[in-house]
Every structure is written in structure tokens, then in C-alpha cells.
Amino acid sequence: MAVLGDKLVPLLGARSAKALASALNIHTVSDLLRHYPRRYAERGQLTDIAGLELGEHATVLARIETTSKRTMRSRRGSILELVITDGTRRITCAFFNQAWREQELRPGKTGLFAGKVTAFRDKLQLANPEYELLESEDQTSTMDEFLGEIIPVYPAAQGMPSWSIARCVRQVLDVLEPKDDPMPAGLLEELKLRSLHDSLRNIHRPESWEWLDAARRRLKWDEAMAIQLVFAQRRHSAVSRPAPACPPSGDGILAAFDGRLPFELTAGQREVGEKIAADLSVEHPMNLLLQGEVGSGKTVVALRAMLQVVDAGRQAAMLAPTEVLAAQHARSLRELLGDLGQAGELGGAENATRVTLLTGSMGAKERKQALLDAASGAAGIVVGTHALIQDTVSFADLGLVVVDEQHRFGVEQRDALRTRGAESTSPHVLVMTATPIPRTVAMTVYGDLEIAALRELPAGRSPISTTVVPVNERPAWLDRAWQRIVEEVGKGHQAYVVCPRIGDEPPSDKSGRRPPLAVLDVAGELAEGPLKALTVGILHGRLPADEKDAVMRAFAAGKVDVLVATTVVEVGVNVPNATAMVIMDADRFGVSQLHQLRGRVGRGDVPGLCLLVTESFDGTSTRERLDAVASTTDGFELSRLDLELRREGDILGAAQSGTRSGLKLLSLLRDEDLIARARKHAQAIITEDPALDGQPGLAQLVASVVDAERAEYLEKT
Ligand code: ADP
Ligand code: MG
């Protein structure tokens, strides 16, 4: 008999176990049983070919339509070409030097075909696929025996096709010992959920579609519960330490600042501002996620919060994802504050404070001074990268931490932050994001935070028009794109060209796709070619900090016409004179990332232009995502579309949370009810038994999520 923690070698033999390990990183019974089918084929129903994605390893149930054999002149070999169909669309399979397969691959036969989807002469192709033919009704094969009417299709890899995985799963299920169920029996009964043991069997080898549904529901419930229990515990511990109360003073630096604001706050800014002011005033720690479109004016909201904290005699820290952004934040905060930010300097206002920048790449002397400012309390506001929450930086009395652009800032980091207050307090936390998040995602990824949103933009913002440039189908459009850039510059404006890669790293793409375009290559080609007449600058994360700073300043001052950059320009960079952006290999970016990126243009009074350059094919889901980005600039609408278009499980990766590995079946789009219900039950359970002492099964569920998160976090750092 086997249990979930067992290694696979003794159960499956060394050969299969090794193949699973190397192809799919599957080592234990649990790994294998949690490697759920991606979908299910039904005997007699062919797989929709339209949904295939270039570069992916796909498994399709299809019928052979035609076969043909050719000899290759150049390489003295033969190609056996198969056209397989789902009844509507076709895909070719090419076998090199395997003419003998023609014997069994007869037109009319049905089978599973697996391989990497490639393009050959603009047509989709599986090159050298693996296959397993289904026998016709009257004959039975070994495969027919072990595959029921519902055929699981697994995420597979070269050398470990779906049907081999199915065989391994079956072997393991045959010896799996039924163990105690982690869910309390009462809860299972109340929610009419099946046992874990039965559900694991039926997710792999469903007796019927009804059973499959029930199995999925149960396994999803476990996923939802695990995460909601983790969040319930986090919320519980977050309020166990008091926060430093920072009531507003009425006549301090905040009042002085408000008195000289050059614009009226929008209704949203006022409303959120009032909520934050109230939250900061009490000892209950604020944990707020502020969502607001790019340009919606989050910085002012954050600064006003920080000033309230400074008025209360404490400090505020502002964290940015990159040094470039941290430097820019420090600059713009100083600008906004004017003499109110010049404490200790000539011309500083009477009740002024000091804004200190603290980054890893500062010179030793500067850095020492900055550390001293933070530790002594001389700096009311300390701006830096996430390194600020490291232990080496100490604050005199940290009252508030503002995290800008949360999506690179995980739960673990938020936790680390909560221990940074003076005298065992937890600072208030304000997290800001320009990527609107659907409710379920918020509950699942940011379940430890309360949510607020700025929905309107300050008046006077310019529209951005976005166009997809499909270089395979319309190569001339790319030339036109560069012409447009030259025209924009001719009108006195500036432009960004964004590439996915820097270009000095060793090639590492295992997928076999062409490596993404690189800043260093593209900048060179543009400067020599279509943009010869313009000044082209380069910005990426591996430039020395002073060089980055110099480039950014030159661009802001209009001395550089076109900035070729990586996503370091994605967040926060504000150069209103930049009106156009060309994003190369746009399909390599996520929807929200593209939305962020284009938010860099259209910041002045001239309409912005964004061109998404891609080699992706019409009709692929990759292309659909780009079309979605082009179709709307409403971030809330986009985040919903994004959720719909993503494959199961991808969304958490995008949100850059550590919880991804815990979610395999749960759909944040469709399982809203279930997630909400799990949240309610989890809250009730934790209120009663915070450490889950009386619920070992649930405690283990929580541990598995937390461990996975930690592993991912460590990988990232
Ligand atoms: P984001 O939410 O993207 O961080 P910012 O805070 O950078 O947006 O604000 C974008 C620009 O809008 C800044 O130049 C800021 O000074 C300006 N701004 C903010 N609030 C208002 C307002 N209420 N009215 C007019 N302009 C505003
Ligand atoms: Mg901002």
C-alpha cells in the first residue's frame, strides 16, 4: 500500500520514475496524483485544434485524414506527412525517416498525438510527435482497457506523453491507501463534498462526468480552504501587534501641504484619503490595498498619508520595485513638498521634514548618512527599494510603509514588514497597485489586505490608441511604425521602445523558441537603420545606478529622443513629453504588464500611441490577449478579460504571489462563490482555533501552502 508522501521509484520502477522526475519534476505519489489532467477527451469526440498555442507541448485526440510520403533531396531521407483533423481544422504531423509508420498510421484512424506545436510555412505542425492510436470499436487494445470512456489528457512533455502518465497514475491509484480526510466530517457533510480519497481517484479516472464534477469540486474546495485558512491566520496575527496610532494634527505639515496643492483632489482621492486618515489614527494596523489606474494620482494620496504620520512624530517608508523608481519617487516627493521637504536645509520651512533616498548602489558615505537619517528619525520619509525592509536598515519610529506597485511584492515580504515597527508595534501598510484586480483574485492573492480603489482619472488626461502590428502577416506595418516614431519626434515628442530582454545574458530558452528581442540588439539596429536621424538611449536593470539615473534624466530633459528599454520603464516613470511606445515581442508580456507599459505615454496633453509588435499568429490565444489590450484602456475591464483568457493557474503567477503552487483547479473566474464560502468558513475556524491545534488535517493543509510559498519566495530572491 502507498501513501501520498511515498517515493515513486519502488512503485513504478526506476525507468518510469526517472522519466517523470526529469520530464515533469514529479517525484512522489502526491506529486503524481496532484498532476491533474489538463482536460478530458471523450471517446469519439475530437480535440478542438483551434485552441493550440505555438511552442506548447500539446496532446490532441484527432483523426488521420491523409498521409503522404516524400523524399528530401537535400538530406537523403524521407518525410512522412500526416494531416490530422478535429473535423474542422487541420494540423500536420511530420515524421522524419520513419516511412514504416505509414503501415499503422492509416487515414480514418483516431489516436492521441502529442508533441510541440511549431509553425512551418505559416501552418501549425507537430514535428516528430508521439502518438497512441485508439483501436476501432470492435478491437480492444491495452490502451482501451486502461482508458475508460473519459480519457484524461495530462500536461505532458517530450518523452512522457499523456498516455504514459495515465498508466503511471493508474498503477499508483491501485495501491493507494485510503487515509483520514483532512476536512472535518461535519463540514464535508454540510457542503455535500466527497472524500479526498474518492476524489483523487475520480479526477484521474472518472467513472462518469458527474463523478468528475464532484471530484473537482472537492479538490477545489481544499485549495480554496488552504489559502483562506492561511489568510485568516495572517489577519489574525496581523492584528495581534498594535500599530502606532497617528491621529491627524490639524495644523502640521499635512495641513500646510494641502493648503498649497496646485490642484483639487478628485472625489476618489478625497474619499480614500479620509478612510486612510481614520485608519492611521488608531492602534489597529491598517492593511490597505489601493487600486488605481496608471495616472489616477496615487502618489498624492500616499504622500498625504505619510505626512499625517510625520505630523504624529513618526516616520514613513516608501518602497519601489526598482532603484530607478525609488530615485524618481524621491525626486517627485521632494518636488511636491518644496520647502516642506527641506528640513535642516537653507530655506526649509519651519515644520519641514526630510525625504531621504536609500538604495543599495549608493556610495558608502552617502549610504551611511541615509542609514543614520533613518535610524535617528531625521528623515520623516525614507524612500528605497524593497531592500529597505531588510534588517540592516533601522528606523527610529516607523509608523507607515507604502509599497508602490505591489505586483512584485509578495505575502512573505508584507509579513517581513510587519515586524519593523518600534516597541513591538506593526507599522500601518498601504500597498498601491495600478493593476486593478478582480474580487476573487483580491480574496485569493491579497486576502490579508483590505481593498480600496481610485476609479476616476484627474481631468485632462489624453487618450491612448493601441494597435497590434503582426509582423508575419503585415511586415510593412513595422516600417510604418518606425516612421511614426520619426514623425512623433519631428513634432517635438519622444518615444519608448520596449524589449523583453537586455541582451547580454547567456541564451537560456529551453522552449526552443527564438529568444525574445533584446534592448542591446534592437537599439543598435534602430540607431543604424530606421531611427538613424534620432538620438537613441538605452535603459535596463543592469546598468550602473548612476548611468540609469543619467539616462532617465537625459530622457526627462528631452535630450534623448527614443529610449530603448526593458520593463524597467513599466512602472511609475513619468515623462509627459513621451507620446509613443513600441513594444517588441509584445506577446512575451502579460496583459497587465502591457497595460502598465503603455500607461507611460499619453501623460501629457497629446494623445498617446502604443504599437504592439508580435510574430504571433491570428487566431491563437496569444494574439487574442494582444487584441484585448488594444481594444480597451479600462484597466478594470482588462483585468477581467485577462482572467478569462488566461489558462487555469496562470493568474497567480501574474499576480506574483507565492500561492501559485497551491492552486491547480480553482478558477478565480468561475469559482467566486466557492472562494467566498471558503473564506467565511476559514474565518470561523481560525477565530475558534487560531493555531489549528484541534484540526491536524487542516493544519497540514496550511503548512503545505506556506511551505510552497516559502520555497518560491526563496527561489525568487
Ligand atoms: P499614479 O496613480 O499612476 O501613481 P501619479 O500619482 O503619478 O499617478 O499622478 C499622475 C499625475 O497626476 C501627477 O503628475 C500628479 O501630480 C497629477 N495629479 C494627481 N492628482 C491630481 C488631481 N487631483 N488633479 C490634477 N492632477 C493630479
Ligand atoms: Mg505611481
Side-chain angles (χ1 to χ4, degrees):
M1 280 305 214
V3 294
L4 290 175
D6 287 354
K7 291 269 182 231
L8 288 171
V9 178
L11 295 169
L12 298 176
R15 206 168 139 261
S16 296
K18 210 182 250 170
L20 281 169
S22 64
L24 296 161
N25 199 22
I26 288 173
H27 305 275
T28 64
V29 168
S30 167
D31 292 346
L32 181 59
L33 294 185
R34 301 289 181 180
H35 187 73
Y36 301 135
R38 170 178 289 159
R39 50 192 173 75
Y40 299 83
E42 193 167 9
R43 203 169 282 268
Q45 285 194 0
L46 306 178
T47 311
D48 204 353
I49 287 175
L52 297 185
E53 195 63 67
L54 214 57
E56 81 174 341
H57 184 98
T59 306
V60 292
L61 180 57
R63 193 177 60 239
I64 302 175
E65 197 168 66
T66 59
T67 63
S68 64
K69 205 166 48 178
R70 285 187 283 129
T71 36
M72 285 183 286
R73 243 172 299 150
S74 53
R75 280 197 275 159
R76 264 201 282 144
S78 71
I79 302 182
L80 173 63
E81 218 173 52
L82 224 57
V83 175
I84 58 173
T85 178
D86 61 5
T88 317
R89 270 169 235 258
R90 288 164 184 78
I91 181 166
T92 22
C93 298
F95 296 90
F96 299 100
N97 292 330
Q98 298 167 58
W100 53 273
R101 292 195 187 277
E102 203 183 1
Q103 297 306 317
E104 58 176 1
L105 293 171
R106 314 297 312 175
K109 288 211 172 195
T110 313
L112 289 164
F113 296 83
K116 200 162 95 184
V117 182
T118 56
F120 183 69
R121 298 206 179 115
D122 286 2
K123 275 202 258 155
L124 290 184
Q125 189 181 62
L126 295 178
N128 265 335
E130 298 165 277
Y131 63 88
E132 181 105 342
L133 295 178
L134 297 178
E135 300 297 322
S136 51
E137 245 76 300
D138 44 331
Q139 297 163 285
T140 46
S141 74
T142 44
M143 170 152 160
D144 283 16
E145 269 169 47
F146 79 84
L147 291 174
E149 281 303 300
I150 302 172
I151 304 172
V153 179
Y154 288 94
Q158 201 72 39
M160 193 29 93
S162 181
W163 49 91
S164 301
I165 298 171
R167 274 195 198 104
C168 295
V169 166
R170 178 197 167 123
Q171 271 175 272
V172 165
L173 282 177
D174 281 348
V175 294
L176 185 69
E177 193 176 321
K179 289 269 285 182
D180 287 346
D181 205 296
M183 284 298 150
L187 197 57
L188 290 181
E189 209 165 299
E190 182 189 334
L191 297 166
K192 301 202 170 47
L193 291 169
R194 310 274 179 115
S195 77
L196 178 60
H197 187 78
D198 288 348
S199 301
L200 280 175
R201 299 188 79 82
N202 275 277
I203 192 95
H204 292 287
R205 302 175 50 76
E207 286 164 32
S208 64
W209 292 104
E210 290 72 39
W211 242 115
L212 177 60
D213 270 353
R216 290 177 63 93
R217 219 168 75 82
R218 165 60 207 262
L219 295 171
K220 280 180 186 183
W221 172 261
D222 285 13
E223 290 179 6
M225 236 356 222
I227 290 202
Q228 294 306 334
L229 284 168
V230 170
F231 279 129
Q233 281 188 328
R234 284 216 167 89
R235 288 193 299 269
H236 184 84
S237 71
V239 300
S240 64
R241 285 162 72 108
C246 304
S249 81
D251 64 346
I253 182 167
L254 175 57
F257 176 76
D258 280 346
R260 55 161 89 165
L261 254 185
F263 45 70
E264 291 239 340
L265 294 177
T266 63
Q269 284 171 322
R270 263 203 309 278
E271 197 179 308
V272 170
E274 275 161 28
K275 174 179 169 43
I276 293 176
D279 285 359
L280 292 175
S281 307
V282 295
E283 279 198 340
H284 184 93
M286 173 176 90
N287 283 296
L288 185 69
L289 175 66
L290 176 59
Q291 307 185 4
E293 276 292 321
V294 169
S296 59
K298 295 182 292 295
T299 313
V300 175
V301 172
L303 178 54
R304 294 187 65 253
M306 293 194 279
L307 294 180
Q308 176 172 336
V309 167
V310 170
D311 276 337
R314 303 186 201 267
Q315 292 165 292
M318 185 168 197
L319 312 190
T322 65
E323 298 208 341
V324 174
L325 276 173
Q328 188 170 317
H329 272 316
R331 239 188 337 264
S332 61
L333 292 182
R334 283 187 192 125
E335 256 165 48
L336 280 164
L337 284 170
D339 62 354
L340 290 174
Q342 297 173 353
E345 293 173 43
L346 205 61
E350 195 185 328
N351 48 3
T353 185
R354 193 186 298 168
V355 179
T356 296
L357 176 66
L358 180 55
T359 63
S361 62
M362 285 164 85
K365 198 168 140 230
E366 252 185 308
R367 184 172 159 82
K368 202 165 158 212
Q369 183 59 48
L371 283 168
L372 207 63
D373 283 357
S376 68
I381 296 175
V382 182
V383 185
T385 62
H386 299 164
L388 263 193
I389 56 169
Q390 284 166 3
D391 296 331
T392 45
V393 182
S394 71
F395 292 86
D397 188 352
L398 187 59
L400 166 69
V401 177
V402 177
V403 183
D404 195 17
E405 317 297 355
Q406 108 301 327
H407 59 282
R408 306 183 192 198
F409 197 77
V411 158
E412 288 271 344
Q413 285 153 308
R414 292 203 289 277
D415 276 355
L417 222 163
R418 295 203 171 102
T419 61
R420 304 307 315 277
E423 292 157 10
S424 60
T425 59
S426 270
H428 298 284
V429 177
L430 172 62
V431 180
M432 304 196 294
T433 169
T435 319
I437 302 162
R439 200 173 89 92
T440 45
V441 181
M443 279 195 297
T444 315
V445 185
Y446 306 103
D448 55 336
L449 302 172
E450 230 190 308
I451 314 264
L454 289 177
R455 287 186 166 267
E456 61 196 319
L457 295 184
R461 235 13 94 75
S462 307
I464 304 171
S465 67
T466 306
T467 306
V468 177
V469 179
V471 285
N472 278 331
E473 292 142 53
R474 308 195 174 268
W477 286 19
L478 188 58
D479 302 331
R480 179 74 192 117
W482 301 128
Q483 250 172 34
R484 287 284 287 117
I485 299 302
V486 173
E487 287 163 22
E488 285 298 313
V489 173
K491 285 187 251 170
H493 302 307
Q494 292 162 278
Y496 299 97
V497 176
V498 180
C499 304
R501 199 164 60 94
I502 297 175
D504 58 354
E505 56 282 89
S508 70
D509 197 0
K510 284 176 235 117
S511 74
R513 288 201 292 177
R514 154 176 89 59
L517 291 172
V519 167
L520 298 176
D521 303 336
V522 170
E525 282 158 29
L526 292 177
E528 296 290 302
L531 305 186
K532 204 187 280 174
L534 315 183
T535 323
V536 176
I538 287 178
L539 184 69
H540 60 75
R542 272 205 291 276
L543 287 177
D546 51 343
E547 232 172 281
K548 273 189 250 179
D549 212 44
V551 173
M552 246 352 271
R553 246 185 312 208
F555 189 64
K559 289 183 191 132
V560 167
D561 300 320
V562 177
L563 190 62
V564 184
T566 55
T567 51
V568 291
V569 298
E570 178 185 346
V571 281
V573 169
N574 190 15
V575 177
N577 192 45
T579 52
M581 175 176 281
V582 181
I583 304 178
M584 307 303 290
D585 277 344
D587 46 284
R588 308 281 179 125
F589 299 99
V591 166
S592 61
Q593 217 175 4
L594 292 170
H595 183 57
Q596 284 277 347
L597 278 167
R598 76 174 155 188
R600 301 306 113 210
V601 296
R603 304 205 126 209
D605 42 20
V606 180
L609 171 72
C610 176
L611 302 173
L612 306 175
V613 180
T614 179
E615 287 180 4
S616 67
F617 286 92
D618 193 18
T620 58
S621 63
T622 307
R623 184 66 165 275
E624 256 181 85
R625 284 194 299 128
L626 296 183
D627 290 337
V629 174
S631 72
T632 177
T633 50
D634 179 336
F636 285 88
E637 170 67 13
L638 263 181
S639 74
R640 203 186 52 73
L641 278 173
D642 192 22
L643 199 53
E644 271 173 26
L645 291 172
R646 263 171 205 280
R647 305 210 155 188
E648 300 291 323
D650 278 1
I651 186 73
L652 292 168
Q656 309 247 332
S657 150
T659 49
R660 174 180 186 164
S661 47
L663 295 197
K664 294 193 159 152
L665 294 171
L666 198 66
S667 158
L668 300 184
L669 187 66
R670 287 180 290 278
D671 297 323
E672 184 163 347
D673 280 355
L674 191 135
I675 293 170
R677 202 146 7 127
R679 189 177 173 87
K680 205 183 81 202
H681 281 287
Q683 184 64 48
I685 291 170
I686 294 299
T687 308
E688 193 123 306
D689 182 5
L692 293 173
D693 294 326
Q695 298 277 8
L698 295 183
Q700 203 169 9
L701 212 57
V702 166
S704 67
V705 174
V706 173
D707 286 350
E709 270 178 12
R710 189 155 301 137
E712 273 184 38
Y713 173 69
L714 289 176
E715 246 165 57
K716 268 191 299 187
T717 48

